Amino acid sequence: MIGTSIAALLLAPLLAMQITDEVAWSATDFLLAAVLLGSTGLAYEIVAISIQEPTHRYALTAVIVAIAATIWAQGAIGLFE
């Protein structure tokens, strides 16, 4: 399920590259995005399985998503530079 979701998400920039020159991802970009999305999905699965309290599960999920979004923003626009 995670692999299918990652492939679907990575399909968007791949299709955009066919339509416009403004999206120019290299193979490394796709690899790093897949690793980031995969590790985020894996972290969520671990939290979902191991944490029984819904409030704690939601909080940890929010932290995981925030970390992934921060890493993505840093890679995309250099958020901290």
Side-chain angles (χ1 to χ4, degrees):
M1 179 74 171
I2 293 175
T4 305
S5 300
I6 292 171
L9 287 170
L10 292 178
L11 199 62
L14 183 63
L15 292 174
M17 287 174 54
Q18 308 307 313
I19 297 170
T20 181
D21 292 335
E22 293 183 19
V23 179
W25 282 28
S26 67
T28 304
D29 295 327
F30 280 100
L31 177 66
L32 291 175
V35 168
L36 177 62
L37 292 171
S39 60
T40 302
L42 182 62
Y44 169 75
E45 289 290 329
I46 291 169
V47 166
I49 291 170
S50 62
I51 305 296
Q52 299 301 319
E53 178 66 35
T55 306
H56 296 154
R57 189 169 53 240
Y58 299 149
L60 284 173
T61 299
V63 169
I64 291 167
V65 170
I67 290 169
T70 302
I71 293 170
W72 191 280
Q74 174 61 28
I77 60 172
L79 189 63
F80 298 112
E81 292 178 4

Coordinates of all heavy atoms in Angstrom, one line a residue:
M1 N 0.8 -1.2 0.0 CA 0.0 0.0 0.0 C 0.9 1.3 0.0 O 0.6 2.2 -0.7 CB -0.9 0.0 1.2 CG -1.8 1.1 1.4 SD -3.1 1.1 0.2 CE -4.1 2.4 0.7
I2 N 1.9 1.3 0.8 CA 2.8 2.4 0.9 C 3.5 2.6 -0.5 O 3.6 3.8 -1.0 CB 3.8 2.3 2.0 CG1 3.1 2.4 3.4 CG2 4.9 3.4 1.9 CD1 4.1 2.1 4.5
G3 N 4.0 1.6 -1.1 CA 4.6 1.7 -2.4 C 3.7 2.2 -3.5 O 4.2 3.0 -4.3
T4 N 2.5 1.8 -3.5 CA 1.5 2.3 -4.5 C 1.3 3.8 -4.3 O 1.2 4.5 -5.2 CB 0.2 1.5 -4.4 OG1 0.5 0.1 -4.5 CG2 -0.7 1.9 -5.4
S5 N 1.2 4.2 -3.0 CA 0.9 5.6 -2.7 C 2.1 6.4 -3.1 O 2.0 7.5 -3.7 CB 0.7 5.8 -1.2 OG -0.5 5.1 -0.8
I6 N 3.3 5.9 -2.9 CA 4.5 6.7 -3.3 C 4.6 6.8 -4.8 O 4.9 7.9 -5.3 CB 5.8 6.0 -2.7 CG1 5.8 6.1 -1.2 CG2 7.1 6.6 -3.3 CD1 6.9 5.2 -0.6
A7 N 4.3 5.7 -5.5 CA 4.3 5.8 -6.9 C 3.3 6.8 -7.5 O 3.6 7.5 -8.4 CB 4.1 4.4 -7.5
A8 N 2.1 6.8 -6.9 CA 1.1 7.7 -7.3 C 1.5 9.2 -7.1 O 1.3 10.0 -7.9 CB -0.2 7.4 -6.6
L9 N 2.1 9.4 -5.9 CA 2.6 10.8 -5.6 C 3.7 11.2 -6.6 O 3.8 12.4 -7.0 CB 3.0 10.9 -4.2 CG 1.9 10.9 -3.1 CD1 2.5 10.8 -1.7 CD2 1.1 12.2 -3.3
L10 N 4.6 10.3 -6.9 CA 5.7 10.6 -7.8 C 5.3 10.7 -9.2 O 6.1 11.2 -10.1 CB 6.9 9.6 -7.6 CG 7.6 9.7 -6.2 CD1 8.6 8.6 -6.2 CD2 8.2 11.0 -6.0
L11 N 4.1 10.3 -9.5 CA 3.6 10.4 -10.9 C 3.3 11.8 -11.3 O 3.5 12.2 -12.4 CB 2.4 9.5 -11.1 CG 2.0 9.1 -12.5 CD1 3.1 8.3 -13.1 CD2 0.7 8.3 -12.4
A12 N 3.0 12.6 -10.3 CA 2.6 14.0 -10.6 C 3.8 14.8 -11.2 O 3.7 15.4 -12.2 CB 2.1 14.7 -9.3
P13 N 5.0 14.8 -10.5 CA 6.1 15.5 -11.2 C 6.6 14.9 -12.5 O 7.0 15.6 -13.4 CB 7.2 15.5 -10.1 CG 6.8 14.5 -9.1 CD 5.4 14.3 -9.2
L14 N 6.4 13.6 -12.6 CA 6.8 12.9 -13.8 C 5.9 13.4 -15.0 O 6.4 13.7 -16.1 CB 6.7 11.4 -13.7 CG 7.2 10.6 -14.9 CD1 8.6 10.8 -15.2 CD2 6.9 9.1 -14.6
L15 N 4.6 13.5 -14.7 CA 3.7 13.9 -15.8 C 3.9 15.4 -16.0 O 3.9 15.9 -17.2 CB 2.3 13.7 -15.3 CG 1.8 12.2 -15.3 CD1 0.4 12.1 -14.7 CD2 1.9 11.6 -16.7
A16 N 4.2 16.2 -15.0 CA 4.4 17.6 -15.2 C 5.7 17.9 -16.0 O 5.7 18.8 -16.8 CB 4.6 18.3 -13.8
M17 N 6.7 17.0 -15.9 CA 7.9 17.2 -16.7 C 7.6 17.0 -18.2 O 8.3 17.5 -19.0 CB 8.9 16.2 -16.2 CG 9.6 16.5 -14.9 SD 10.7 15.3 -14.3 CE 11.8 15.0 -15.6
Q18 N 6.5 16.2 -18.5 CA 6.2 16.0 -19.9 C 5.4 17.2 -20.5 O 5.4 17.4 -21.7 CB 5.3 14.7 -20.0 CG 5.8 13.5 -19.4 CD 7.3 13.1 -19.8 OE1 7.6 13.2 -21.0 NE2 8.1 12.9 -18.8
I19 N 4.8 18.0 -19.6 CA 4.0 19.1 -20.1 C 4.7 20.4 -20.1 O 4.5 21.2 -21.0 CB 2.7 19.2 -19.1 CG1 1.9 17.9 -19.3 CG2 1.9 20.4 -19.5 CD1 0.8 17.8 -18.2
T20 N 5.6 20.6 -19.1 CA 6.2 21.9 -19.0 C 7.7 21.8 -18.7 O 8.1 20.7 -18.1 CB 5.6 22.8 -17.9 OG1 6.2 24.0 -17.8 CG2 5.6 22.1 -16.5
D21 N 8.5 22.8 -19.0 CA 9.9 22.8 -18.7 C 10.2 23.3 -17.3 O 11.4 23.3 -16.9 CB 10.7 23.6 -19.7 CG 10.7 23.0 -21.1 OD1 10.5 21.8 -21.2 OD2 10.8 23.7 -22.1
E22 N 9.2 23.8 -16.6 CA 9.4 24.4 -15.3 C 9.6 23.3 -14.2 O 10.1 23.6 -13.2 CB 8.2 25.3 -14.9 CG 8.1 26.5 -15.8 CD 6.9 27.4 -15.3 OE1 6.5 27.3 -14.2 OE2 6.5 28.2 -16.2
V23 N 9.3 22.1 -14.5 CA 9.5 21.0 -13.6 C 10.7 20.2 -14.2 O 10.5 19.6 -15.3 CB 8.3 20.1 -13.4 CG1 8.6 18.9 -12.5 CG2 7.1 20.9 -12.9
A24 N 11.8 20.1 -13.5 CA 13.0 19.4 -14.1 C 13.6 18.6 -12.9 O 14.6 19.0 -12.3 CB 14.0 20.4 -14.6
W25 N 13.0 17.4 -12.7 CA 13.6 16.6 -11.7 C 14.6 15.6 -12.3 O 14.3 15.1 -13.4 CB 12.4 15.7 -11.0 CG 11.6 16.5 -10.0 CD1 11.4 17.8 -10.0 CD2 10.9 15.9 -8.9 NE1 10.6 18.1 -8.9 CE2 10.3 16.9 -8.2 CE3 10.8 14.6 -8.4 CZ2 9.5 16.7 -7.1 CZ3 10.0 14.4 -7.3 CH2 9.4 15.4 -6.6
S26 N 15.6 15.3 -11.6 CA 16.6 14.3 -12.0 C 16.2 13.0 -11.3 O 15.3 12.9 -10.5 CB 18.0 14.7 -11.6 OG 18.1 14.7 -10.2
A27 N 16.9 12.0 -11.7 CA 16.7 10.6 -11.1 C 17.0 10.7 -9.6 O 16.3 10.1 -8.8 CB 17.6 9.6 -11.8
T28 N 18.0 11.5 -9.2 CA 18.3 11.7 -7.8 C 17.1 12.3 -7.0 O 16.8 12.0 -5.9 CB 19.6 12.6 -7.6 OG1 20.6 12.0 -8.4 CG2 19.9 12.7 -6.2
D29 N 16.5 13.3 -7.7 CA 15.3 13.9 -7.0 C 14.2 12.9 -6.8 O 13.6 12.9 -5.7 CB 14.8 15.1 -7.9 CG 15.7 16.2 -8.1 OD1 16.5 16.5 -7.1 OD2 15.7 16.9 -9.1
F30 N 13.9 12.1 -7.8 CA 12.9 11.1 -7.6 C 13.3 10.1 -6.5 O 12.5 9.7 -5.7 CB 12.6 10.3 -8.9 CG 11.8 11.1 -9.9 CD1 12.3 11.8 -10.9 CD2 10.4 11.1 -9.7 CE1 11.5 12.5 -11.8 CE2 9.6 11.8 -10.6 CZ 10.1 12.5 -11.6
L31 N 14.6 9.7 -6.5 CA 15.0 8.8 -5.5 C 14.9 9.4 -4.1 O 14.4 8.7 -3.2 CB 16.5 8.4 -5.7 CG 17.1 7.4 -4.7 CD1 16.5 6.1 -4.7 CD2 18.6 7.3 -5.0
L32 N 15.3 10.6 -3.9 CA 15.3 11.2 -2.6 C 13.8 11.4 -2.2 O 13.5 11.2 -1.0 CB 16.0 12.6 -2.6 CG 17.5 12.5 -2.7 CD1 18.1 13.9 -2.8 CD2 18.1 11.7 -1.5
A33 N 12.9 11.8 -3.1 CA 11.5 11.9 -2.8 C 10.9 10.6 -2.4 O 10.1 10.5 -1.4 CB 10.8 12.5 -4.0
A34 N 11.3 9.5 -3.1 CA 10.8 8.2 -2.7 C 11.3 7.7 -1.3 O 10.5 7.2 -0.6 CB 11.2 7.2 -3.8
V35 N 12.5 8.0 -1.0 CA 13.1 7.7 0.3 C 12.4 8.5 1.4 O 12.0 7.9 2.4 CB 14.6 7.9 0.3 CG1 15.1 7.8 1.8 CG2 15.3 6.9 -0.6
L36 N 12.2 9.8 1.2 CA 11.5 10.6 2.1 C 10.0 10.1 2.4 O 9.6 9.9 3.5 CB 11.5 12.1 1.7 CG 10.7 13.0 2.7 CD1 11.3 13.0 4.1 CD2 10.7 14.4 2.1
L37 N 9.3 9.9 1.3 CA 7.9 9.4 1.4 C 7.9 8.0 2.0 O 7.0 7.7 2.8 CB 7.3 9.4 0.0 CG 7.0 10.8 -0.6 CD1 6.6 10.7 -2.0 CD2 6.0 11.6 0.3
G38 N 8.8 7.2 1.6 CA 8.8 5.8 2.2 C 9.1 5.8 3.6 O 8.5 5.1 4.4
S39 N 10.1 6.6 4.1 CA 10.4 6.6 5.5 C 9.3 7.2 6.3 O 9.0 6.8 7.4 CB 11.7 7.3 5.7 OG 11.7 8.6 5.3
T40 N 8.6 8.2 5.7 CA 7.5 8.8 6.4 C 6.3 7.8 6.5 O 5.7 7.7 7.6 CB 7.0 10.1 5.6 OG1 8.1 11.0 5.5 CG2 5.8 10.7 6.3
G41 N 6.1 7.1 5.5 CA 5.0 6.1 5.5 C 5.4 5.0 6.5 O 4.5 4.5 7.3
L42 N 6.6 4.5 6.5 CA 7.1 3.5 7.5 C 7.0 4.0 8.9 O 6.5 3.2 9.8 CB 8.5 3.1 7.1 CG 9.1 2.0 8.0 CD1 8.3 0.7 7.8 CD2 10.5 1.7 7.6
A43 N 7.4 5.2 9.2 CA 7.3 5.8 10.5 C 5.8 5.8 10.9 O 5.5 5.5 12.1 CB 7.9 7.2 10.6
Y44 N 4.9 6.2 10.0 CA 3.5 6.2 10.4 C 3.0 4.8 10.7 O 2.2 4.7 11.6 CB 2.6 6.8 9.2 CG 1.2 6.6 9.5 CD1 0.5 7.4 10.4 CD2 0.5 5.6 8.8 CE1 -0.8 7.2 10.7 CE2 -0.8 5.4 9.1 CZ -1.5 6.2 10.0 OH -2.8 5.9 10.3
E45 N 3.4 3.9 9.9 CA 2.9 2.5 10.1 C 3.4 2.0 11.5 O 2.6 1.3 12.2 CB 3.4 1.5 9.0 CG 2.8 1.7 7.7 CD 1.3 1.3 7.7 OE1 1.0 0.4 8.4 OE2 0.6 1.9 6.9
I46 N 4.6 2.3 11.9 CA 5.1 1.9 13.2 C 4.3 2.6 14.3 O 3.9 1.9 15.3 CB 6.6 2.2 13.3 CG1 7.4 1.3 12.4 CG2 7.1 2.1 14.7 CD1 8.9 1.7 12.2
V47 N 4.0 3.9 14.1 CA 3.2 4.6 15.2 C 1.8 4.0 15.2 O 1.3 3.8 16.3 CB 3.2 6.1 14.9 CG1 2.1 6.8 15.7 CG2 4.6 6.7 15.2
A48 N 1.2 3.8 14.1 CA -0.2 3.3 14.0 C -0.3 1.9 14.7 O -1.3 1.6 15.3 CB -0.7 3.2 12.6
I49 N 0.7 1.1 14.5 CA 0.7 -0.3 15.1 C 1.0 -0.3 16.6 O 0.4 -1.0 17.4 CB 1.7 -1.2 14.4 CG1 1.1 -1.5 12.9 CG2 1.9 -2.5 15.1 CD1 2.1 -2.2 12.0
S50 N 2.0 0.5 17.0 CA 2.5 0.4 18.4 C 1.8 1.3 19.4 O 1.8 1.0 20.6 CB 4.0 0.7 18.4 OG 4.3 2.0 17.9
I51 N 1.2 2.4 18.9 CA 0.6 3.4 19.9 C -0.9 3.1 19.9 O -1.6 3.3 18.9 CB 0.9 4.8 19.5 CG1 2.4 5.1 19.4 CG2 0.2 5.8 20.5 CD1 3.2 4.9 20.6
Q52 N -1.5 2.8 21.0 CA -2.9 2.4 21.1 C -3.8 3.6 21.5 O -4.9 3.7 21.0 CB -3.1 1.3 22.2 CG -2.4 0.0 21.9 CD -2.8 -0.5 20.5 OE1 -4.0 -0.5 20.2 NE2 -1.9 -1.0 19.7
E53 N -3.2 4.6 22.2 CA -4.0 5.8 22.6 C -4.2 6.7 21.4 O -3.2 7.2 20.9 CB -3.2 6.5 23.7 CG -3.9 7.8 24.2 CD -5.2 7.5 24.9 OE1 -5.3 6.5 25.6 OE2 -6.1 8.4 24.7
P54 N -5.4 6.9 21.0 CA -5.6 7.7 19.8 C -5.0 9.1 19.8 O -4.4 9.6 18.9 CB -7.1 7.8 19.7 CG -7.7 6.7 20.4 CD -6.7 6.4 21.5
T55 N -5.1 9.8 21.0 CA -4.5 11.1 21.1 C -3.0 11.1 20.9 O -2.5 12.0 20.2 CB -4.8 11.7 22.5 OG1 -6.2 11.6 22.7 CG2 -4.4 13.2 22.6
H56 N -2.3 10.2 21.4 CA -0.9 10.1 21.3 C -0.6 9.7 19.8 O 0.4 10.2 19.2 CB -0.3 9.0 22.2 CG -0.4 9.4 23.6 ND1 -0.4 8.5 24.6 CD2 -0.6 10.6 24.3 CE1 -0.6 9.1 25.8 NE2 -0.6 10.4 25.6
R57 N -1.4 8.8 19.2 CA -1.1 8.4 17.8 C -1.3 9.6 16.9 O -0.5 9.9 16.0 CB -2.1 7.3 17.4 CG -1.8 6.7 16.1 CD -2.5 5.4 15.8 NE -3.9 5.6 16.0 CZ -4.7 4.8 16.9 NH1 -4.1 3.9 17.6 NH2 -6.0 5.0 16.9
Y58 N -2.3 10.4 17.1 CA -2.6 11.6 16.3 C -1.4 12.6 16.5 O -1.0 13.2 15.5 CB -3.9 12.3 16.6 CG -5.1 11.4 16.4 CD1 -6.2 11.6 17.2 CD2 -5.1 10.5 15.4 CE1 -7.4 10.8 17.0 CE2 -6.2 9.7 15.2 CZ -7.3 9.8 16.0 OH -8.4 9.1 15.8
A59 N -1.0 12.8 17.7 CA 0.1 13.8 17.9 C 1.4 13.3 17.3 O 2.1 14.2 16.6 CB 0.3 13.9 19.4
L60 N 1.8 12.1 17.4 CA 3.0 11.6 16.8 C 2.9 11.6 15.2 O 3.8 11.9 14.5 CB 3.3 10.2 17.2 CG 3.9 10.1 18.6 CD1 4.0 8.7 19.1 CD2 5.2 10.8 18.7
T61 N 1.7 11.3 14.7 CA 1.5 11.4 13.3 C 1.7 12.9 12.8 O 2.3 13.1 11.8 CB 0.1 10.9 12.9 OG1 -0.1 9.6 13.3 CG2 -0.2 11.1 11.4
A62 N 1.2 13.8 13.6 CA 1.4 15.2 13.2 C 2.9 15.6 13.2 O 3.3 16.3 12.3 CB 0.6 16.1 14.2
V63 N 3.6 15.1 14.2 CA 5.0 15.3 14.2 C 5.7 14.7 13.0 O 6.6 15.4 12.4 CB 5.6 14.8 15.6 CG1 7.1 14.8 15.6 CG2 5.1 15.6 16.7
I64 N 5.4 13.5 12.7 CA 6.0 12.9 11.5 C 5.7 13.6 10.3 O 6.7 13.9 9.5 CB 5.5 11.4 11.4 CG1 6.0 10.6 12.5 CG2 5.8 10.8 10.1 CD1 5.3 9.2 12.7
V65 N 4.5 14.1 10.1 CA 4.2 14.9 8.9 C 4.9 16.2 8.9 O 5.4 16.6 7.8 CB 2.6 15.0 8.8 CG1 2.3 16.0 7.7 CG2 2.0 13.7 8.5
A66 N 5.0 16.8 10.0 CA 5.7 18.1 10.1 C 7.2 18.0 9.8 O 7.7 18.8 9.1 CB 5.5 18.7 11.5
I67 N 7.8 16.9 10.3 CA 9.2 16.7 9.9 C 9.4 16.4 8.5 O 10.3 17.0 7.8 CB 9.7 15.5 10.8 CG1 9.8 15.9 12.3 CG2 11.1 15.0 10.3 CD1 10.1 14.8 13.2
A68 N 8.5 15.6 7.9 CA 8.6 15.3 6.4 C 8.4 16.6 5.6 O 9.1 16.8 4.6 CB 7.6 14.3 6.0
A69 N 7.4 17.4 6.0 CA 7.2 18.7 5.3 C 8.3 19.6 5.4 O 8.7 20.3 4.4 CB 5.9 19.3 5.8
T70 N 9.0 19.7 6.5 CA 10.1 20.5 6.7 C 11.3 20.1 5.9 O 12.0 20.9 5.2 CB 10.5 20.6 8.2 OG1 9.4 21.0 9.0 CG2 11.7 21.5 8.4
I71 N 11.5 18.8 5.8 CA 12.6 18.2 5.0 C 12.3 18.5 3.5 O 13.2 18.9 2.8 CB 12.8 16.7 5.3 CG1 13.4 16.5 6.7 CG2 13.8 16.1 4.2 CD1 13.4 15.1 7.1
W72 N 11.1 18.3 3.1 CA 10.7 18.6 1.7 C 10.9 20.1 1.4 O 11.4 20.4 0.3 CB 9.2 18.2 1.5 CG 8.8 18.2 0.1 CD1 8.5 19.2 -0.7 CD2 8.7 17.0 -0.8 NE1 8.1 18.8 -2.0 CE2 8.3 17.5 -2.0 CE3 8.9 15.7 -0.6 CZ2 8.1 16.6 -3.1 CZ3 8.7 14.8 -1.6 CH2 8.3 15.3 -2.9
A73 N 10.5 21.0 2.3 CA 10.6 22.4 2.0 C 12.1 22.8 1.9 O 12.5 23.6 1.1 CB 9.9 23.2 3.1
Q74 N 12.9 22.2 2.8 CA 14.3 22.5 2.7 C 14.9 22.0 1.4 O 15.7 22.8 0.8 CB 15.1 21.8 3.9 CG 16.6 21.9 3.8 CD 17.1 23.3 3.9 OE1 16.5 24.2 4.4 NE2 18.2 23.6 3.3
G75 N 14.5 20.9 0.9 CA 15.0 20.4 -0.3 C 14.5 21.2 -1.5 O 15.2 21.4 -2.5
A76 N 13.3 21.7 -1.4 CA 12.7 22.4 -2.5 C 13.1 23.8 -2.7 O 13.4 24.3 -3.8 CB 11.1 22.3 -2.4
I77 N 13.1 24.5 -1.5 CA 13.4 26.0 -1.6 C 14.5 26.4 -0.7 O 14.8 27.6 -0.6 CB 12.1 26.8 -1.3 CG1 11.6 26.5 0.1 CG2 11.1 26.6 -2.4 CD1 10.5 27.4 0.5
G78 N 15.1 25.5 0.0 CA 16.2 26.0 0.9 C 15.7 26.8 2.1 O 16.1 27.9 2.3
L79 N 14.7 26.2 2.8 CA 14.0 26.9 3.9 C 15.0 27.5 4.9 O 14.7 28.6 5.4 CB 13.1 25.9 4.5 CG 12.1 26.4 5.5 CD1 11.1 27.4 4.9 CD2 11.3 25.3 6.2
F80 N 16.0 26.9 5.2 CA 16.9 27.3 6.3 C 18.2 27.9 5.8 O 19.2 28.1 6.5 CB 17.3 26.2 7.2 CG 16.1 25.6 7.9 CD1 15.6 24.3 7.6 CD2 15.3 26.3 8.8 CE1 14.5 23.8 8.2 CE2 14.2 25.9 9.4 CZ 13.8 24.6 9.1
E81 N 18.3 28.3 4.5 CA 19.5 29.0 4.0 C 19.3 30.4 3.9 O 18.3 31.0 3.8 CB 19.8 28.4 2.6 CG 20.1 27.0 2.7 CD 20.4 26.4 1.3 OE1 20.3 27.1 0.3 OE2 20.6 25.1 1.2

